[in-house]
Amino acid sequence: MSRISKKFEALRNDSKTCLISYITAGDPSIENSLDIMQTLVNSGTDIIELGVPFSDPMADGPTIQRACERALSKNTSCLDIFELVRDFRKHDISTPIVLMGYLNPIERMGYEAFAKSASQSGVDAILVVDLPHEEAKEVISIFKKYNLESIFLIAPNTKIDRIQEISKYASGFLYYVSLKGVTGATTLDIKKTEEQLKVIKKSINLPLAVGFGIKDANTAKILSKNADAVVIGSAIVNIIEKEQDNKSKTNSDIVNLMSPIRLKLDENLISGEKP
Amino acid sequence: MKTNQNKNLNDFNLMKYGYPDENGHYGIFGGTFVAETLIEPLTDLRNMYYDLKKDTDFLHELYSEYKNYVGRPTPLYFAERLTEKINGANIFLKREDLCHTGAHKINNTIGQAILAKKMGKTRIIAETGAGQHGVASATVAARLGMECVVFMGEQDIYRQSQNVYRMKLLGAEVVPVTSGSKTLKDALNEALRDWVTNVDNTFYIIGTVAGPSPYPELVRDFQAIIGREVIEQMENIDKKVDALVACVGGGSNAIGLFYPFIDCDSKMYGVEAAGDGLETEKHSAPLNKGKIGVLHGNRTYLLEDENGQIIETHSISAGLDYPGVGPEHALLKDLGRVHYASATDQEALKAFHELSRVEGIIPALETSHAVAYSMKLAAKMKKGENIVINLSGRGDKDLNTVARIEGIEI
């Protein structure tokens, strides 16, 4: 069983919601990223999504775009990120790591070389934002060969038959983009998202994660009722941006953001409201 | 001469050359590399376009706009004095600079704006580099009574202040883009972000034959009026087309000229911007110096670093200053059907002056690259052979740039 499946199974047994945290690797430096990853796990993160910086992140909002620019100003490459994951794995063999990025840096390295190094360093899955399944056949089979799972996005305007088609190619979990917009947007309609999650949940077998625009514990809690995982991204990256010169402040602010979310998600465990 | 007498968009079905395939691929190039939220609007656009290109009412409306609003057909002008001076092949200029707004860009924007209207969209967005596509988009938005927002890199806003003012006069909002290199590629990113967010009421008019499918195909089809007119105009004077030349940034004016000739035996030359020289790092020539990669929704040749990050490009002409190129050009390069040459900033400037003095036509700096290469090419060709240059735009917008280089403040 893959690390991601194991994680979801364990959480399901404890009736817990999976908390996924996103940071851009190399923002503000690879060394800081390692610290931040450990802080995230210590403050309740179950799965880490590591952004692979790209010069033209067209699906991301200004926050993650600037994070990419900071990482690229230090020339962060795929090889640096594999090194980071390898270092992280020295102390943590259970937290799944998903690399999230755009196709071009992967294609430049070569699918085979990328997949091999990713797998060897301890990466569990890849989410390529600008790669719909129609264009992904070759990549998915290479990822599979190296035991990497392929995460796909679904959007508010993805029709049900397409969601079912996507779930045939997907493994690990499906990532529901909760709004039409870019990462970190402010206009999340919680009621509507809840409704959509209910519909999607019925038509897939994979765990369902929801992200884009989730910034606080209450929103996370509400959405967790109809999803297996919630993703927090831009809210964390905002802290990193604000405190980039101050490592300990970055880490304490992240704990202050994430711990309440974890607590809120686990709040009703005893009363057995979940799953 | 064997030609393809395509009079309408749907007549292209008769061509032997059958790209793109049903998934928007040009061989290994093209495709649909976008985040999931854009899949539905792109699918809607493709379905709508495939229906409309067979629809006589739509074609009637389009051709009526071409004639009465754009000012088509544009003349095919025999450049007699330039031909004499070069003393080689006869040089003909396809006068796209005489289109409304001063460049070929409006052939495409008018077509896409009519599509937008048929799809019930009320808001148009566009990206622009030099401002020509922005102006052409703002113009058709005014013509059809639609809201228009144009994304433009902060750098380009400074370089092209006159076009910014033109867009504002036409009622468009110009949004400065401050991310990345603050130029055309970043304006494209920002337009895509806006589209993802406002997809319900917004139509994105892409300015060139790049982007996710179906954009490269529909922009090509709207621009192919250029080549179709050339076929007819050359037949009317009973001349054979031996060579076609056009500048290539994204490549819309070049495809517009080339496409109807693809099944014929005319030679074709696309001219990229060599900037300071192909041997330097300051150029915009992905077909000559790039690697295959994925950017802005399609697979094509790109200028990128060893980690796959897109690098900043350079050209004296803002309209050619782009790190990618339309996927169909990538295919035509690999097929060997089109030869992709280049011209430096200096060569383009020299051609800019030459055409102004010898023919009384001031070309855009983009177009000047095609003129520069054509002068070399014509000299090597036989007398009596014919070369057609796509004179894609007029040079008025570049007067400040050229004057500044020569130390003159206007």
Side-chain angles (χ1 to χ4, degrees):
Chain A
M1 196 191 271
S2 74
R3 207 179 265 135
I4 291 176
S5 301
K6 269 187 214 154
K7 180 62 82 176
F8 274 104
E9 193 184 69
L11 289 164
R12 210 176 299 121
N13 290 339
D14 295 344
S15 302
K16 278 180 152 188
T17 298
C18 177
L19 181 56
I20 302 178
S21 299
Y22 170 96
I23 59 166
T24 302
D27 168 32
S29 72
I30 281 286
E31 183 193 318
N32 288 32
S33 290
L34 181 61
D35 263 14
I36 294 168
M37 287 166 79
Q38 285 157 350
T39 303
L40 287 170
V41 174
N42 294 336
S43 51
T45 291
D46 299 304
I47 295 178
I48 293 176
E49 242 177 49
L50 265 186
V52 179
F54 182 46
S55 53
D56 295 79
M58 42 183 215
D60 286 297
T63 299
I64 289 176
Q65 207 181 319
R66 287 195 299 271
C68 285
E69 285 173 20
R70 286 192 295 275
L72 290 177
S73 73
K74 303 259 170 70
N75 288 319
T76 306
S77 69
C78 290
L79 297 180
D80 296 327
I81 296 167
F82 299 145
E83 202 55 48
L84 168 66
V85 174
R86 206 169 284 131
D87 286 342
F88 176 81
R89 281 276 171 258
K90 286 176 189 161
H91 307 283
D92 187 328
I93 53 162
S94 67
T95 306
I97 293 178
V98 178
L99 294 190
M100 179 172 183
Y102 294 79
L103 186 58
N104 202 52
I106 300 175
E107 192 154 312
R108 182 61 202 259
M109 193 176 166
Y111 299 147
E112 191 92 25
F114 176 89
K116 191 174 176 188
S117 304
S119 181
Q120 283 172 351
S121 68
V123 170
D124 300 285
I126 316 284
L127 193 177
V128 189
V129 178
D130 56 349
L131 186 67
H133 71 270
E134 290 93 337
E135 304 279 3
K137 312 242 151 72
E138 184 195 348
V139 185
I140 294 169
S141 69
I142 293 172
F143 286 172
K144 207 175 229 166
K145 182 171 143 195
Y146 290 98
N147 296 317
L148 293 166
E149 297 190 284
S150 293
I151 314 291
F152 282 92
L153 298 174
I154 47 181
N157 54 4
T158 310
K159 305 237 161 58
I160 285 294
D161 53 349
R162 186 175 164 84
I163 291 175
Q164 285 164 345
E165 183 70 17
I166 292 172
S167 64
K168 282 187 214 156
Y169 296 92
S171 47
F173 59 90
L174 274 171
Y175 186 143
Y176 179 66
V177 174
S178 51
L179 47 82
K180 290 181 194 168
V182 291
T183 50
T186 49
T187 49
L188 180 59
D189 181 338
I190 295 173
K191 276 247 142 53
K192 208 171 141 197
T193 307
E194 274 190 279
E195 289 310 309
Q196 286 163 325
L197 286 171
K198 275 183 204 166
V199 176
I200 297 164
K201 195 75 190 100
K202 274 184 223 151
S203 60
I204 58 167
N205 293 319
L206 286 167
L208 180 61
V210 55
F212 278 41
I214 304 172
K215 292 187 173 66
D216 57 72
N218 284 330
T219 314
K221 179 69 188 174
I222 295 168
L223 295 181
S224 72
K225 285 175 194 148
N226 294 296
D228 304 289
V230 291
V231 187
I232 310 288
S234 296
I236 301 169
V237 177
N238 273 327
I239 293 173
I240 298 172
E241 174 164 52
K242 207 166 128 238
E243 303 296 342
Q244 39 185 308
D245 299 323
N246 190 339
K247 255 179 152 177
S248 62
K249 184 79 167 45
T250 301
N251 287 308
S252 63
D253 281 6
I254 287 175
V255 172
N256 290 338
L257 171 75
M258 298 307 289
S259 297
I261 296 177
R262 180 78 265 172
L263 280 173
K264 188 83 189 173
L265 287 175
D266 295 349
E267 199 175 58
N268 297 321
L269 273 184
I270 299 146
S271 67
E273 193 186 302
K274 281 248 353 163
Chain B
M1 161 184 180
K2 184 172 145 280
T3 56
N4 211 322
Q5 292 278 353
N6 302 301
K7 295 291 186 293
N8 284 320
L9 296 176
N10 48 343
D11 290 345
F12 288 125
N13 297 337
L14 305 172
M15 289 175 69
K16 272 193 288 175
Y17 169 90
Y19 297 99
D21 67 16
E22 68 273 23
N23 298 315
H25 291 126
Y26 300 81
I28 61 165
F29 301 104
T32 311
F33 294 89
V34 295
E36 181 60 27
T37 318
L38 288 180
I39 293 291
E40 191 199 37
L42 287 168
T43 308
D44 289 350
L45 175 60
R46 187 180 302 119
N47 292 340
M48 187 67 159
Y49 177 61
Y50 282 2
D51 285 348
L52 282 179
K53 74 196 259 194
K54 289 177 261 169
D55 181 284
T56 39
D57 284 350
F58 171 73
L59 291 171
H60 183 79
E61 186 175 353
L62 178 66
Y63 281 78
S64 156
E65 293 295 326
Y66 277 163
K67 179 165 180 253
N68 301 311
Y69 192 64
V70 177
R72 304 206 71 91
T74 57
L76 183 72
Y77 166 75
F78 174 49
E80 195 176 352
R81 294 220 320 130
L82 188 64
T83 300
E84 265 173 33
K85 199 167 172 206
I86 305 255
N87 197 25
N90 296 319
I91 298 172
F92 291 85
L93 306 177
K94 179 60 175 165
R95 297 290 309 275
E96 293 299 298
D97 60 320
L98 296 177
C99 289
H100 180 39
T101 72
H104 71 289
K105 290 288 182 192
I106 197 164
N107 300 330
N108 166 45
T109 59
I110 191 71
Q112 289 199 50
I114 299 171
L115 266 179
K117 197 132 200 174
K118 301 258 182 212
M119 293 177 82
K121 308 288 182 184
T122 55
R123 179 174 177 267
I124 275 172
I125 56 168
E127 83 293 341
T128 198
Q132 290 306 99
H133 174 59
V135 167
S137 298
T139 299
V140 297
R143 162 78 185 83
L144 295 173
M146 298 167 99
E147 186 190 345
C148 181
V149 177
V150 179
F151 295 91
M152 191 168 183
E154 210 174 42
Q155 282 284 341
D156 291 332
I157 287 186
Y158 166 75
R159 289 195 283 195
Q160 305 284 338
S161 53
Q162 203 177 329
N163 269 341
V164 174
Y165 187 58
R166 273 173 93 189
M167 288 183 265
K168 287 180 180 165
L169 281 178
L170 292 160
E173 182 193 344
V174 180
V175 178
V177 175
T178 55
S179 57
S181 60
K182 304 180 178 68
T183 59
L184 177 58
K185 80 171 176 71
D186 309 284
L188 232 149
N189 291 333
E190 216 50 48
L192 283 164
R193 290 181 186 119
D194 179 291
W195 197 30
V196 168
T197 310
N198 300 298
V199 80
D200 294 330
N201 72 341
T202 298
F203 188 102
Y204 179 19
I205 299 190
I206 291 188
T208 191
V209 284
S213 165
Y215 280 104
E217 183 181 3
L218 69 90
V219 176
R220 173 195 74 190
D221 291 353
F222 291 141
Q223 291 293 359
I225 184 76
I226 302 172
R228 286 204 300 273
E229 285 178 6
V230 170
I231 287 176
E232 204 172 309
Q233 287 165 324
M234 288 297 271
E235 278 178 357
N236 286 345
I237 54 171
D238 208 18
K239 300 268 187 206
K240 181 176 187 293
V241 177
D242 297 293
L244 298 159
V245 184
C247 63
V248 178
S252 69
N253 90 79
I255 280 287
L257 177 65
F258 296 165
Y259 183 56
F261 286 90
I262 281 185
D263 284 347
C264 312
D265 56 4
S266 308
K267 292 201 167 98
M268 300 178 184
Y269 302 87
V271 186
E272 292 196 299
D276 289 354
L278 290 185
E279 71 288 356
T280 71
E281 282 177 2
K282 294 188 76 183
H283 59 75
S284 303
L287 289 166
N288 278 283
K289 303 291 281 184
K291 294 244 157 51
I292 295 170
V294 172
L295 179 69
H296 293 148
N298 65 101
R299 180 174 281 120
T300 187
Y301 283 96
L302 297 174
L303 293 172
E304 55 176 31
D305 69 12
E306 70 283 2
N307 293 320
Q309 308 296 342
I310 307 307
I311 55 178
E312 284 185 34
T313 52
H314 166 80
S315 169
I316 189 173
S317 72
L320 302 182
D321 205 347
Y322 179 66
V325 62
E328 191 155 22
H329 285 293
L331 172 72
L332 292 170
K333 171 194 154 81
D334 283 10
L335 291 176
R337 179 64 189 93
V338 179
H339 174 72
Y340 291 93
S342 68
T344 63
D345 285 356
Q346 285 310 317
E347 290 170 323
L349 265 176
K350 199 167 154 252
F352 174 90
H353 286 295
E354 185 81 3
L355 196 69
S356 302
R357 297 269 177 90
V358 178
E359 292 291 347
I361 297 170
I362 302 176
L365 281 174
E366 292 78 10
T367 312
S368 300
H369 288 74
V371 176
Y373 183 75
S374 299
M375 294 195 304
K376 285 199 247 175
L377 181 68
K380 282 186 274 180
M381 287 167 66
K382 290 191 205 102
K383 278 195 177 181
E385 287 189 312
N386 304 304
I387 169 170
V388 177
I389 307 174
N390 195 357
L391 207 80
S392 53
R394 68 178 184 221
D396 305 47
K397 69 178 175 62
D398 296 312
L399 298 187
N400 278 319
T401 307
V402 176
R404 213 174 292 143
I405 290 167
E406 290 167 359
I408 301 161
E409 273 306 316
I410 304 178

